[in-house]
């Protein structure tokens, strides 16, 4: 079975080698073929546009031959605009468009931010403390959206938090992107969701 993953740098695997990315590790654990279509810096509007390419090669194919599609994004929308309004609209639209194509959508919940670890040059452009507050509310909305519409949710974020809500610094490379150990945990989380569909 195939899973196509659309997203930003969290999906692409910024800062780590291709062999240690969660998409590659999920293949090894689950037996699924996982196709990484993450683009560094992408927003949900870019993802919404790009998922249209899924329909072309599978047009007319029976449901059993169509891939599942995981969509994860929104962090960059918040960084660039200071709001999650566009991310909510685009992510919701992406899920419904995939359903309309006869494709199973999965929604990934983005990772938390640890502002103290973010490189100073990045922090000059974005208020990451404020961004994390908005991102937290956005992630709560994702969980509610998935529950309301029966969409499979992959809650990557929860694995990066301690029970008291603190962020696990050991799993983040630079305050934003997962370290190799974080990729391993993300792969296990996704594989546990995929096993429900086999």
């Amino acid at each position: 079975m195939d899973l196509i993953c659309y997203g930003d740098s969290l999906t692409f695997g910024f800062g780590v080698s291709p062999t240690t990315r969660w998409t590659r590790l999920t293949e090894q654990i689950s037996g699924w073929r996982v196709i990484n279509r993450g683009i560094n810096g992408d927003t949900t509007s870019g993802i919404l546009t790009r998922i249209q390419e899924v329909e072309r090669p599978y047009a007319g194919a029976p449901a059993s031959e169509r891939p599942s599609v995981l969509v994860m994004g929104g962090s960059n929308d918040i960084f660039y605009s200071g709001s999650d309004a566009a991310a909510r609209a685009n992510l919701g639209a992406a899920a419904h468009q995939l359903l309309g194509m006869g494709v199973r959508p999965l929604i990934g919940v983005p990772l938390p931010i640890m502002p103290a670890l973010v490189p100073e040059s990045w922090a000059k452009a974005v208020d990451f403390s404020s961004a994390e507050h908005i991102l937290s509310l956005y992630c709560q909305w994702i969980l509610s959206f998935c529950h309301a519409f029966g969409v499979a949710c992959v809650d990557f974020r929860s694995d990066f938090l301690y029970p008291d809500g603190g962020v696990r610094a050991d799993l983040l490379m630079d305050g934003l992107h997962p370290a190799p150990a974080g990729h391993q945990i993300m792969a296990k989380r996704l594989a546990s969701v995929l096993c429900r569909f086999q």
Side-chain angles (χ1 to χ4, degrees):
M1 290 185 276
D2 290 352
L3 175 69
I4 305 174
C5 299
Y6 287 91
D8 51 32
S9 56
L10 296 179
T11 298
F12 175 81
F14 176 87
V16 300
S17 69
T19 57
T20 59
R21 293 173 184 163
W22 59 267
T23 48
R24 181 71 63 83
L25 297 174
T26 300
E27 281 192 322
Q28 298 169 3
I29 297 170
S30 68
W32 284 55
R33 186 168 78 113
V34 181
I35 302 159
N36 187 328
R37 297 238 171 102
I39 295 178
N40 292 331
D42 205 3
T43 61
T44 55
S45 61
I47 294 167
L48 181 61
T49 299
R50 292 192 292 121
I51 64 168
Q52 303 308 312
E53 68 190 24
V54 173
E55 191 167 25
R56 296 186 202 106
Y58 298 97
S64 61
E65 295 178 11
R66 298 186 181 200
S68 295
V69 173
L70 185 146
V71 176
M72 179 168 64
S75 299
N76 289 323
D77 299 63
I78 294 167
F79 299 159
Y80 299 152
S81 70
S83 169
D84 67 348
R88 292 187 186 208
N90 292 328
L91 197 72
H96 288 295
Q97 288 186 21
L98 290 167
L99 287 167
M101 295 177 197
V103 171
R104 177 192 294 118
L106 295 86
I107 305 296
V109 182
L111 306 184
I113 302 166
M114 193 164 196
L117 296 181
V118 175
E120 185 178 346
S121 58
W122 296 355
K124 289 179 179 178
V126 176
D127 180 349
F128 286 104
S129 294
S130 295
E132 170 56 21
H133 174 68
I134 298 167
L135 182 62
S136 176
L137 296 175
Y138 170 63
C139 291
Q140 292 174 32
W141 174 84
I142 291 175
L143 295 172
S144 298
F145 173 86
C146 290
H147 178 74
F149 292 98
V151 175
C153 183
V154 186
D155 189 4
F156 294 119
R157 180 182 174 91
S158 64
D159 293 321
F160 283 68
L161 297 173
Y162 289 111
D164 66 359
V167 180
R168 294 186 58 184
D170 59 310
L171 299 180
L172 291 172
M173 179 173 54
D174 52 18
L176 298 174
H177 301 98
H183 280 269
Q184 292 176 11
I185 287 177
M186 292 175 76
K188 291 176 182 175
R189 168 67 68 173
L190 177 54
S192 72
V193 174
L194 294 179
C195 73
R196 303 176 199 164
F197 307 133
Q198 293 177 325

